[in-house]
């Protein structure tokens, strides 16, 4: 290396060059393998070529982190072919320029900082790579010979690091935006941008192709943007948001400056936050927004279908094939934006409705929001005719009326059976493709056209992953920077071939395992039934990248042939049920119990109120609360969870939970809302307070159903009567009172009377007072007739 540098110095650049210093001065230039290194050795600047790309770019990367993580690219849209014939230099006028050319005399500038304020022959000009990752050009400005006239932090690429900002100067209109790379291997300007709203609000928005706003980051609450509560969860960083008459700006600091974090607009349109982990030698994803890659505008391009539960989440709608994009490999390299093209052109001859086209039925999809509605159409069949009459109509749905889509169909998402928002879409295809789709359906006996990944497809995917492994020597592949996609064989190794079973649930078994860095994991192996497949999809879709200290963390998954595996953090203290009365019984003291109550409430509040979509867990019970080493509770098992798209539908009907925790509206077949979780939570609180299961007959309650008996005691203010007698009264009476009162409010028959999870948190924390709840009389029919008619 040193020798090479020496040779380069001697032969390639005989006149002048920069050695590994942090400064490029007026007489120097940077070329070939030479780099600048910041004074503290944190960042390095030089020519680089991304893996799988033959072009060269000038970029800045972390010097000490293996794998060259690039935070800034100078010439993203004008690469150079040969770094030894290109040079980065300070021009006569003091601006920074990148020149290329073969002959020594004819070097052309392909990039310039265009910095104004410096004068001809500015000998004061000097460019310095700072330890923050900023590349700053100093020159003369207003008589000041060391003013910064240009800096890379004012022109970020796709990455924000501490010290930089994303913002808008309201006086000059200059702004800093994060613009994605085109793909993981191509730094040229991609389709997705994070910037201050170009239409004038002071909000941060995500734009697709500079036109469609697909995500807005929302209001600032002092710590984080409201829709991204994950931002406020870590004390690793401090986020700073400024909005005044002069500017809007957003930045962050890491509280321990020796750690590395970066925020990146991914090539697939999610804003992602990564922390470097020395222990595991990789960047760990802290959060991503939008949470689901399928919520990114045109994630799979025109006529693509986005399925978050599939390991490669884009595929084509039936009757369509990937557009083979010549540049950078198209779909093969996960560059899905080009989308899919029809196998057979439509047959349409204008107003005379002589079209021979037909429709394929796509079940359980989320309808794209770009429809127009056709008035006065009374049936699905008439809606189909209306679509066929219009040659630009590509799909229709009949849902509260006739909806039609024109032109390119984007943003179709695969959901699972029973998901709120799941509808049927009728996709227009040529007659030949209908025949083909029907043929395939009968051939392999599966409803291939319904969007279930076929066995063949999965086998191919599996093979692709195996190949990816062999090539990259990696054990787990980042699934669009979000969840890890694990290999089947790899998980078998981690779990010693599934030898240590932790438990068995209705859809499969859970095994203990360990990653190579000794992180303990729990691997849930779902049975290959339709129920297992559904649970798998639901868990991946809901837990996806949401993270909260009181929700179990899904690290990743494996979808290989018939295997569906989910990988979680291992919880050494098992479930709350097993601690309360099961095989790992421990008598928990009041402090611990109260901590569990508050933690579960915060986790559920987060699901209900702070995620992109409202998530109703639907199966809250002690079996589904896991405890970590410090007895911090984690809500787990999202196999029955329901997503309720905000402002779309507040209620859902089909589903089932567990008797004893089921809210009355469920038993009555009424729509379910987040208040169903509140009910189940209230039932669980009573178990935590009393230290016994509600369903167990208790002599103390006179043989009566414990929750009803408990409610009467609470009405009378006799909180201590509820308390686990094994604690011998060792309790904070004030906290006990809050817990008892809130539990009784939670189990009210009327949803309207039950508090929200947010209010439960406030009551437990003591910032909101709960009055005395009425006794929930409907519980009476659940108790032994003779003993409890007399409250
Ligand atoms: C500098 O100016 C040229 C000509 O106006 C323009 O094409 C180029 O994009 C500018 N460079 C930068 C970095 O803004
Ligand atoms: C000159 O510029 C430097 C760097 O921007 C700044 O720190 C310094 O205060 C300036 N001096 C004057 C006299 O404006
Ligand atoms: C983005 O917009 C430009 C101009 O509006 C258009 O030419 C281009 O096709 C669009 N890109 C995609 C991927 O649709
Ligand atoms: C539609 O049919 C009518 C009569 O059936 C005919 O006069 C007209 O030319 C046709 N238009 C087109 C576009 O084929």
């Amino acid at each position: 290396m040193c020798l090479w540098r020496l040779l380069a110095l001697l032969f390639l650049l005989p006149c002048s060059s920069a050695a590994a210093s942090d400064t490029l001065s007026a007489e120097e230039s940077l070329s070939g393998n030479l780099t600048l290194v910041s004074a503290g050795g944190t960042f390095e600047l030089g020519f680089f070529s991304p893996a799988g790309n033959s072009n060269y770019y000038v970029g800045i990367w972390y010097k000490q982190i293996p794998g060259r993580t690039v935070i800034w690219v100078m010439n993203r849209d004008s690469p150079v072919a040969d770094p030894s014939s290109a040079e980065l230099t300070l021009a006569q006028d003091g601006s920074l320029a990148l020149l290329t050319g073969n002959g020594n005399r004819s070097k052309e500038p392909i990039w310039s900082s265009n910095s104004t304020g410096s004068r001809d022959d500015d000998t004061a000009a000097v460019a310095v790579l700072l330890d923050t990752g900023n590349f700053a050009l100093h020159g003369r400005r207003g008589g000041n010979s060391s003013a910064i006239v240009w800096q890379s932090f004012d022109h970020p690429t796709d990455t924000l690091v501490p010290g930089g900002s994303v913002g808008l100067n309201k006086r000059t209109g200059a702004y800093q935006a994060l613009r994605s790379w085109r793909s993981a291997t191509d730094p040229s300007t991609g389709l997705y941008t994070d910037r201050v709203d170009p239409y004038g609000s002071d909000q941060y928005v995500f734009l697709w192709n500079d036109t469609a706003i697909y995500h807005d980051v929302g209001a600032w609450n002092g710590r984080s943007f409201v829709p991204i509560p994950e931002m406020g969860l870590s004390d690793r960083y401090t986020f700073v948001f400024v909005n005044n008459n002069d500017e809007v700006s957003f930045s962050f600091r890491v509280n321990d400056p020796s750690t590395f974090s970066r925020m990146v607009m991914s090539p697939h349109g999610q804003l992602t936050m990564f922390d470097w982990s020395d222990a595991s030698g990789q960047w760990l994803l802290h959060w991503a927004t939008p949470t689901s890659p399928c919520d990114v505008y045109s994630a799979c391009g025109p006529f693509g279908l986005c399925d978050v539960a599939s390991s490669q989440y884009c595929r084509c709608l039936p009757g369509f094939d990937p557009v083979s994009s010549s540049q950078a490999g198209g779909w093969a390299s996960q560059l899905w934006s080009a989308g899919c093209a029809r196998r057979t052109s439509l047959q349409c001859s204008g107003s005379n409705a002589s079209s021979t086209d037909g429709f394929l039925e796509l079940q359980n999809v989320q309808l794209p929001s770009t429809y127009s509605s056709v008035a006065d159409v009374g049936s699905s069949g008439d809606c189909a005719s209306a679509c066929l009459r219009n040659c630009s109509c590509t799909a229709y749905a009949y849902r509260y009326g006739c909806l039609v889509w024109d032109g390119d169909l984007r943003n179709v998402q695969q959901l699972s059976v029973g998901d709120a928002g799941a509808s049927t879409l009728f996709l227009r295809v040529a007659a030949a493709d209908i025949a083909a789709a029907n043929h395939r359906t009968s051939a392999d006996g599966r409803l291939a056209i319904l969007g279930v990944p076929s066995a063949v497809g999965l086998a191919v995917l599996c093979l692709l992953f195996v190949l990816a492994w062999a090539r990259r020597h990696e054990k787990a592949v980042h699934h669009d920077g979000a969840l890890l996609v694990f290999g089947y064989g790899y998980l078998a190794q981690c779990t010693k071939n599934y030898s240590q079973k932790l438990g068995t649930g209705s859809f499969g078994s859970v095994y203990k395992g360990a990653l190579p860095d000794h992180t303990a994991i729990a691997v849930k192996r779902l049975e290959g039934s339709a129920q297992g497949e559904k649970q798998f999809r639901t868990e991946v879709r809901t837990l996806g990248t949401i993270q909260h200290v009181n929700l179990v963390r899904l690290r990743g998954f494996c979808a290989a042939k018939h295997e569906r595996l989910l990988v979680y953090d291992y919880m050494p203290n098992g479930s709350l049920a097993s601690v309360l009365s099961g095989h790992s019984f421990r008598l928990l003291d009041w402090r611990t119990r109260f901590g569990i109550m508050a933690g579960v409430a915060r986790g559920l509040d987060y699901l209900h109120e702070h995620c992109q979509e409202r998530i109703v867990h639907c199966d809250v019970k002690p079996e589904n609360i896991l405890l970590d080493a410090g007895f911090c509770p984690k809500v787990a098992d999202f196999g029955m969870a329901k997503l309720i798209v905000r402002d779309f539908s507040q209620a859902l009907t089909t589903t089932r939970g567990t008797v004893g925790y089921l809210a009355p509206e469920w038993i009555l077949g009424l729509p379910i809302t987040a208040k169903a979780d509140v009910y189940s939570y209230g039932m669980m609180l009573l178990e935590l307070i009393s230290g016994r299961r509600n369903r167990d007959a208790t002599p103390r309650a006179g043989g009566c159903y414990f929750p009803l008996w408990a409610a009467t005691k609470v009405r009378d203010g006799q909180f201590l009567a509820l308390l686990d007698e094994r604690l011998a009264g060792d309790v904070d009476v004030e906290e006990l009172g809050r817990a008892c009162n809130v539990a009784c409010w939670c189990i009210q028959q009327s949803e309207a009377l039950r508090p929200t999870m947010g209010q439960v948190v406030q009551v437990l924390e003591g910032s909101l007072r709960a009055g005395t709840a009425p006794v929930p009389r409907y519980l009476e029919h659940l108790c032994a007739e003779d003993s409890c008619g007399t409250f």
Side-chain angles (χ1 to χ4, degrees):
M1 185 67 193
C2 282
L3 185 63
W4 162 245
R5 251 188 205 164
L6 200 62
L7 287 176
L9 279 171
L10 287 176
F11 298 111
L12 294 176
L13 299 155
C15 307
S16 64
S17 63
S21 83
D22 63 346
T23 305
L24 186 72
S25 56
E27 307 78 43
E28 295 172 321
S29 67
L30 202 66
S31 184
N33 266 352
L34 296 179
T35 59
L36 299 182
V37 175
S38 64
T42 309
F43 286 99
E44 185 166 24
L45 178 148
F47 288 91
F48 75 99
S49 178
N53 184 329
S54 58
N55 289 318
Y56 282 81
Y57 303 83
V58 173
I60 297 174
W61 56 86
Y62 297 89
K63 170 110 179 114
Q64 294 140 0
I65 292 181
R68 190 178 279 163
T69 308
V70 174
I71 63 156
W72 184 74
V73 182
M74 176 178 279
N75 52 324
R76 65 189 310 185
D77 292 313
S78 33
V80 300
D82 175 11
S84 60
S85 71
E87 65 181 303
L88 177 64
T89 186
L90 294 173
Q92 284 284 300
D93 61 0
S95 66
L96 197 59
L98 180 60
L99 311 174
T100 56
N102 287 321
N104 272 348
R105 302 266 164 251
S106 61
K107 293 216 155 143
E108 291 287 318
I110 57 162
W111 180 91
S112 161
S113 65
N114 295 338
S115 35
T116 57
S118 45
R119 308 189 310 215
D120 273 357
D121 193 20
D122 189 342
T123 49
V126 61
V128 184
L129 178 62
L130 302 171
D131 261 330
T132 52
N134 190 13
F135 189 40
L137 175 63
H138 297 264
R140 247 187 275 274
R141 177 176 271 164
N144 185 346
S145 63
S146 57
I148 291 181
V149 293
W150 178 93
Q151 55 185 339
S152 63
F153 272 5
D154 287 339
H155 307 273
T157 309
D158 64 339
T159 303
L160 181 65
V161 292
S165 66
V166 179
L168 168 70
N169 182 325
K170 291 185 183 173
R171 282 170 298 142
T172 63
Y175 64 92
Q176 293 85 43
L178 302 182
R179 272 176 166 274
S180 65
W181 284 27
R182 181 140 291 253
S183 73
T185 59
D186 179 1
S188 65
T189 302
L191 285 170
Y192 298 101
T193 310
D194 168 18
R195 57 165 291 181
V196 176
D197 185 0
Y199 302 106
S201 80
D202 288 342
Q203 298 219 325
Y204 285 86
V205 296
F206 293 3
L207 283 174
W208 173 81
N209 203 15
D210 286 331
T211 47
I213 292 182
Y214 62 93
H215 189 59
D216 69 62
V217 172
W220 177 255
N221 69 8
R223 265 199 98 188
S224 64
F225 290 106
V226 172
I228 324 176
E230 298 90 336
M231 283 174 67
L233 292 180
S234 172
D235 45 22
R236 200 178 159 116
Y237 347 87
T238 307
F239 294 95
V240 181
F241 174 68
V242 174
N243 184 3
N244 57 31
N245 289 338
D246 296 330
E247 61 166 350
V248 185
S249 113
F250 170 70
S251 58
F252 73 98
R253 292 193 297 272
V254 281
N255 297 334
D256 171 0
S258 69
T259 61
F260 297 124
S261 296
R262 63 196 169 98
M263 193 182 284
V264 183
M265 188 60 169
S266 84
H268 300 301
Q270 282 170 298
L271 186 67
T272 49
M273 182 96 197
F274 290 99
D275 302 330
W276 175 254
S277 155
D278 271 329
S280 61
Q282 58 179 333
W283 289 99
L284 300 179
L285 180 78
H286 188 61
W287 50 258
T289 187
T291 313
S292 161
C294 291
D295 291 335
V296 170
Y297 187 86
S298 197
C300 301
F303 301 105
L305 175 68
C306 199
D307 181 357
V308 79
S310 157
S311 43
Q312 190 149 355
Y313 59 81
C314 287
R315 59 180 182 269
C316 287
L317 291 172
F320 290 78
D321 291 320
V323 171
S324 57
S325 138
S326 50
Q327 42 152 359
W331 276 47
S333 55
Q334 307 204 336
L335 197 62
W336 290 305
S337 55
C340 306
R342 281 186 194 283
R343 276 189 205 130
T344 317
S345 311
L346 295 178
Q347 287 268 306
C348 191
S349 58
S351 54
N352 279 2
S354 58
S355 174
T356 59
D357 301 338
F359 294 93
L360 289 176
E361 186 176 333
L362 308 177
Q363 289 179 353
N364 299 307
V365 296
Q366 180 166 311
L367 302 178
S369 58
T370 50
Y371 58 81
S372 41
S373 40
V374 183
D376 301 328
V377 172
S379 72
S380 183
D382 292 346
C383 192
S385 309
C387 182
L388 285 179
R389 274 196 300 276
N390 177 350
C391 286
S392 65
C393 177
T394 45
Y396 82 92
Y398 195 76
R399 188 180 161 100
Y400 315 120
C402 177
L403 312 177
V404 294
W405 285 262
D406 282 348
D408 287 352
L409 193 62
R410 300 174 193 265
N411 306 314
V412 183
Q413 268 192 55
Q414 184 68 54
L415 304 177
S416 328
V417 179
D419 266 342
S423 302
T424 301
L425 181 72
F426 294 88
L427 176 70
R428 181 175 186 172
V429 294
D433 290 330
I434 297 210
N438 289 338
H439 179 70
R440 208 165 11 172
T441 309
S442 49
D444 69 10
R446 297 184 61 161
L447 294 178
I449 56 167
L450 300 188
V452 180
S454 71
V456 177
L458 282 169
V460 169
L461 279 180
C462 224
L463 190 64
L464 282 177
F465 276 120
V466 172
L467 292 177
W469 249 260
R471 225 183 33 239
R472 300 167 60 181
H473 298 283
E474 273 183 11
K475 303 296 185 264
V477 180
H478 264 289
H479 174 72
D480 186 48
L483 293 172
L484 291 170
V485 179
F486 291 92
Y488 180 68
Y490 179 68
L491 285 182
Q493 260 180 29
C494 292
T495 56
K496 301 211 174 75
N497 217 5
Y498 306 103
S499 52
Q500 211 180 336
K501 193 185 262 197
L502 294 169
T504 305
S506 43
F507 301 125
S509 302
V510 183
Y511 300 87
K512 190 175 174 188
L515 296 176
D517 66 356
H518 307 298
T519 310
I521 53 172
V523 179
K524 187 193 277 183
R525 191 174 182 182
L526 298 162
E527 273 149 20
S529 62
Q531 275 300 333
E533 174 74 22
K534 187 177 167 203
Q535 199 196 25
F536 175 78
R537 284 167 178 273
T538 314
E539 289 239 357
V540 173
R541 188 166 146 75
T542 45
L543 271 180
T545 58
I546 58 171
Q547 282 186 31
H548 186 278
V549 63
N550 296 119
L551 301 179
V552 73
R553 170 155 173 234
L554 182 65
R555 286 181 163 260
F557 60 86
C558 167
K561 275 191 192 158
H562 305 299
E563 292 287 351
R564 295 289 181 276
L565 300 146
L566 296 161
V567 181
Y568 307 90
D569 285 349
Y570 172 69
M571 291 295 134
N573 277 315
S575 76
L576 178 59
S578 66
V579 168
L580 278 180
S581 60
H583 53 84
S584 47
F585 170 76
R586 288 237 332 227
L587 185 62
L588 302 176
D589 63 14
W590 177 256
R591 226 33 346 258
T592 309
R593 291 183 203 213
F594 195 71
I596 294 172
M597 295 172 192
V600 173
R602 288 193 196 104
L604 291 175
D605 175 44
Y606 175 78
L607 287 179
H608 292 174
E609 301 299 335
H610 302 287
C611 298
Q612 205 67 38
E613 291 169 295
R614 191 184 293 273
I615 299 172
V616 185
H617 184 281
C618 293
D619 202 14
V620 175
K621 56 180 176 178
E623 284 77 1
N624 290 340
I625 308 299
L626 301 181
L627 300 170
D628 76 3
F631 286 93
C632 170
K634 314 269 181 179
V635 180
D637 211 325
F638 284 71
M640 268 184 237
K642 298 290 166 193
L643 300 171
I644 302 182
V645 180
R646 290 180 177 276
D647 308 322
F648 182 64
S649 131
Q650 291 297 311
L652 49 105
T653 45
T654 60
T655 195
R656 66 193 167 87
T658 302
V659 176
Y661 304 91
L662 275 182
E665 58 267 26
W666 229 327
I667 296 161
L668 298 175
L670 296 173
I672 302 304
T673 68
K675 292 290 183 72
D677 282 351
V678 174
Y679 180 91
S680 312
Y681 172 82
M683 284 298 183
M684 202 181 75
L685 273 197
L686 293 176
E687 299 192 317
L688 259 168
I689 295 168
S690 67
R692 62 183 64 246
R693 308 307 297 268
N694 289 336
R695 58 163 191 265
D696 297 344
T698 54
R700 196 160 43 136
C704 175
Y705 185 50
F706 181 74
L708 176 59
W709 178 84
T712 63
K713 294 292 165 196
V714 170
R715 180 196 57 195
D716 302 339
Q718 298 176 22
F719 305 132
L720 280 168
L722 271 63
L723 184 68
D724 191 338
E725 60 265 44
R726 290 168 297 187
L727 292 183
D730 185 7
V731 67
D732 180 322
V733 180
E734 166 72 28
E735 286 176 356
L736 176 65
R738 288 183 216 154
C740 288
N741 270 323
V742 88
C744 289
W745 280 111
C746 288
I747 61 172
Q748 294 295 314
Q749 176 167 22
S750 156
E751 284 173 51
L753 285 180
R754 292 178 217 151
T756 64
M757 261 356 273
Q759 289 168 329
V760 171
V761 172
Q762 287 180 304
V763 171
L764 292 178
E765 285 173 348
S767 58
L768 187 69
R769 268 186 64 84
T772 304
V775 173
R777 287 286 161 196
Y778 73 98
L779 289 176
E780 281 175 14
H781 71 266
L782 289 168
C783 55
E785 252 102 73
D786 48 355
S787 52
C788 50
T790 54
F791 297 122

